[in-house]
Amino acid sequence: SRFQSKTGLSCPRECGRCCYLPTVEATQSEMLPLAKHIVSTGESDFWLEKASKAGDTCVFFLPGENGKGRCMMYTHRPSLCRLFGFSSRTNKSRDSELIKCQHMDSGELKIAASSVKSRKALAPDVASEARMAREAGLGFTALESQVPEPINKAFLAALNKFQM
């Protein structure tokens, strides 16, 4: 991706460490493309049940050997996953703040932060996903769609919006 080539960020192959953490969050609106895909394939009931029972591990993570694994919905994964755990959001003070993977090496983060600061690469703002929700007429309020929450919870809310 363009963002990856400009920042030098990437996850280790089949890392999956983030996928096990209860602290990995997404917004309901950034889960919309994935929810739309699942509804279009007729797999809503399967994923609703699976996500309801998933606990803290991301429902889309397929564990492999030695703790490694892969994403079963890689093409439709949420923004934070697409950006290797590096994006931005607008905080309560209306200041832009970086969101980053806690497992990422500090050297990579310094390079990425420098790229963002010098405008060689912009860290996408997850709030832009809220526009998609409103334009799709899914009834999310701006606040509701932008609040980060555990990834499985955000997915369930997005999927439920599509099924209403």
Side-chain angles (χ1 to χ4, degrees):
S1 81
R2 201 170 359 150
F3 181 77
Q4 182 180 13
S5 66
K6 289 187 177 202
T7 62
L9 290 176
S10 64
C11 294
R13 184 168 168 73
E14 298 179 350
C15 175
R17 288 185 285 185
C18 294
C19 305
Y20 287 106
L21 300 174
T23 55
V24 173
E25 297 180 326
T27 62
Q28 292 175 18
S29 59
E30 73 180 283
M31 298 302 284
L32 290 174
L34 178 54
K36 182 179 180 181
H37 168 73
I38 286 173
V39 168
S40 73
T41 61
E43 298 177 342
S44 300
D45 291 339
F46 170 79
W47 287 107
L48 273 171
E49 184 177 341
K50 191 168 171 82
S52 297
K53 297 176 181 175
D56 294 335
T57 300
C58 178
V59 67
F60 303 109
F61 182 66
L62 180 63
E65 295 178 25
N66 302 322
K68 294 185 175 198
R70 65 181 183 85
C71 180
M72 292 185 282
M73 293 291 175
Y74 189 81
T75 333
H76 303 284
R77 67 199 187 280
S79 302
L80 194 58
C81 304
R82 290 178 180 277
L83 300 168
F84 315 106
F86 185 85
S87 64
S88 68
R89 67 177 166 208
T90 304
N91 64 22
K92 291 179 183 179
S93 305
R94 296 192 175 266
D95 295 322
S96 185
E97 60 184 21
L98 293 177
I99 302 169
K100 58 188 176 25
C101 172
Q102 66 184 15
H103 297 291
M104 198 168 284
D105 146 327
S106 63
E108 285 181 314
L109 288 174
K110 285 179 185 174
I111 292 167
S114 172
S115 296
V116 169
K117 190 173 183 179
S118 68
R119 299 256 185 226
K120 289 180 185 170
L122 297 176
D125 188 329
V126 295
S128 64
E129 302 288 345
R131 283 190 298 279
M132 181 184 156
R134 287 191 303 276
E135 290 167 4
L138 294 176
F140 284 116
T141 65
L143 179 62
E144 178 184 52
S145 64
Q146 293 179 47
V147 175
E149 55 190 333
I151 196 163
N152 294 337
K153 184 178 178 186
F155 164 68
L156 283 169
L159 189 56
N160 283 324
K161 288 288 183 181
F162 263 100
Q163 297 199 129
M164 289 182 153

